[in-house]
Amino acid sequence: MLITKRSSILRLITMLIFSMAICSVQAQDEVQPQLKKSFLQKLVHYLDSSNVMGTDPDYIGLPEKKWCVTLNSSHNQISLNLDSHLEASADDQFDFNLRITPPVTNSVGASICYRGWGGGYGFSLTGNKGINMSFNIATPMNGVNIRWRRFNFDEPQIGASNIISEGIKKKGMPLTTTELNKSMKIESFVFDGYWIFNHKRFALAAPYGQSVIQKRSAGSFIAGLMVYYQKFDMSQRENAIISLFHNGLGKLKIYQGSLGAGYTYNWVPTPGLVINAVAMPVVSVVNYIKAETYTYKLDDEYEKMFEEENEQFSAGDLFSHITLDKKNSDSDWGKIRLNLDVRASITYWIRNWFITGMGQIHSFSSTYDETTIRMSEWDIKAAIGFTF
């Protein structure tokens, strides 16, 4: 999990307090077993038993040691595509393509947990600006994954095609990396949760949390809920040309709520090794879009200089003479869409040590007016840990 420095300190302090409390409670259990259990004692008992409560011990077991320390690395990337159709006239139509692909985010970190409950801190290795936070939890009956990103981006790829007649496209500008005069603002939030039906013999926490061990192969049907939010802002007057390519679109917010069903399976070919795959198609039952469009106009005096190719005209000074006006604010309920959530993992235990690797892919799409928006995101993690 990548978090801010202040948040990480608070989480670290919380973990230390939590660790001291558990150690204190365990010591009291040894010295005063006859006393009535306190709240903390009940909490420790719950943490010791909750991960295997109601499960079949022939299929699911606990690691011998209760504490776990993990060193991990994370690599993820988001890709956002906007495809727009612009009709300047009946005989002058264009298709414009905008590709936003920030560099891969690489990070390393460490975490500590007690029976799967804990936290950690990650350090970015790539120095990408913005916020990149994630949260994951897996229990016998369900799993939750949350990711929030917010960043600025100033090097998109732009392409165009000219439609000359009867839908025939004449290749125009190929996809070319362009450096913007002012960064676009992009934000995304993804929540996906699973409900496990066969939680008696199948444990999602075995490959993704290592808080339990899958002893035998088993699978389960799953139900899922996904919530997706995307905010895209290119309304800065320095980005007027790109906005005009997309019919004056300046700001866009997308809200999607999806329900899905799929299947997941833990394959245990040999003791200590578990290979997992999850596939869940989801249908967007809520698809709400809010958009703001803008008009961009040159100052009269500067527009005249531009048309006359006056020597005093400076392209570098152009944007300071653009007036930006909000044209329209519109909202729309989009069509029902089919998206996909896929993930896989492999974990291998060697006595009190384990190594694990996992990957996940999200994909979403939506349409506003003559613009189609597609977002995809992949995430790969690797870790090594030991219990004590």
Side-chain angles (χ1 to χ4, degrees), residues 20 36 61 63 157 183 195 275 280 285 293 295 298 355 369:
M20 293 170 61
K36 185 178 180 180
Q157 289 183 304
S183 300
W195 179 265
I275 302 172
M280 185 176 67
V285 293
T293 55
T295 58
L298 275 174
I355 55 175
D369 196 15

Side-chain angles (χ1 to χ4, degrees), residues 292-306:
E292 294 181 5
T293 55
Y294 293 79
T295 58
Y296 303 85
K297 188 178 185 304
L298 275 174
D299 297 346
D300 292 340
E301 180 180 352
Y302 213 72
E303 183 176 10
K304 185 177 180 181
M305 294 170 59
F306 174 75

Side-chain angles (χ1 to χ4, degrees), residues 27-39:
Q28 290 177 19
D29 281 344
E30 296 175 359
V31 176
Q32 300 174 317
Q34 73 280 7
L35 296 180
K36 185 178 180 180
K37 287 185 176 180
S38 67
F39 170 77

Side-chain angles (χ1 to χ4, degrees), residues 79-248:
S79 177
L80 181 64
N81 300 332
L82 279 75
D83 298 322
S84 292
H85 179 74
L86 177 64
E87 294 188 9
S89 65
D91 299 323
D92 200 8
Q93 304 178 40
F94 299 89
D95 282 342
F96 291 103
N97 319 110
L98 183 64
R99 302 287 182 266
I100 299 170
T101 310
V104 176
T105 299
N106 302 302
S107 64
V108 295
S111 64
I112 182 170
C113 62
Y114 180 89
R115 289 301 190 200
W117 298 87
Y121 181 63
F123 299 88
S124 176
L125 300 178
T126 49
N128 290 352
K129 297 179 180 180
I131 297 175
N132 182 4
M133 296 180 63
S134 64
F135 173 80
N136 311 92
I137 188 171
T139 72
M141 290 185 290
N142 51 60
V144 173
N145 306 285
I146 298 174
R147 179 174 292 283
W148 176 43
R149 292 171 178 262
R150 187 171 67 188
F151 60 94
N152 295 338
F153 189 67
D154 57 7
E155 292 186 350
Q157 289 183 304
I158 302 174
S161 298
N162 182 212
I163 302 176
I164 51 178
S165 64
E166 298 179 358
I168 300 175
K169 293 185 179 181
K170 180 180 179 182
K171 192 66 177 179
M173 180 178 65
L175 281 173
T176 305
T177 300
T178 304
E179 185 171 351
L180 302 180
N181 294 283
K182 192 168 185 178
S183 300
M184 301 174 177
K185 299 177 181 179
I186 300 170
E187 183 177 359
S188 69
F189 173 86
V190 178
F191 167 97
D192 69 284
Y194 305 89
W195 179 265
I196 309 298
F197 289 97
N198 184 23
H199 57 268
K200 184 176 182 179
R201 295 184 174 181
F202 171 87
L204 193 67
Y208 295 105
Q210 290 78 47
S211 57
V212 298
I213 297 175
Q214 186 82 43
K215 298 179 180 180
R216 297 183 181 181
S217 300
S220 176
F221 286 102
I222 57 175
L225 168 68
M226 296 194 72
V227 177
Y228 164 61
Y229 166 76
Q230 176 77 58
K231 180 180 178 181
F232 181 77
D233 183 358
M234 57 179 180
S235 61
Q236 305 81 13
R237 62 181 180 180
E238 290 85 353
N239 296 323
I241 296 176
I242 296 178
S243 178
L244 290 173
F245 283 171
H246 297 276
N247 297 285

Side-chain angles (χ1 to χ4, degrees), residues 320-339:
S320 62
H321 293 268
I322 290 178
T323 301
L324 181 150
D325 292 314
K326 185 175 177 181
K327 178 182 178 182
N328 189 27
S329 180
D330 189 24
S331 59
D332 186 28
W333 292 94
K335 299 178 181 179
I336 294 177
R337 289 187 173 273
L338 180 66
N339 297 314

Side-chain angles (χ1 to χ4, degrees), residues 68-73 109-111 210 347-350 352-358 381-387:
C68 177
V69 172
T70 305
L71 301 177
N72 55 72
S73 66
S111 64
Q210 290 78 47
T347 300
Y348 185 54
W349 282 87
I350 308 173
N352 292 335
W353 291 78
F354 67 85
I355 55 175
T356 183
M358 63 193 75
K381 296 180 180 179
I384 180 170
F386 69 94
T387 58

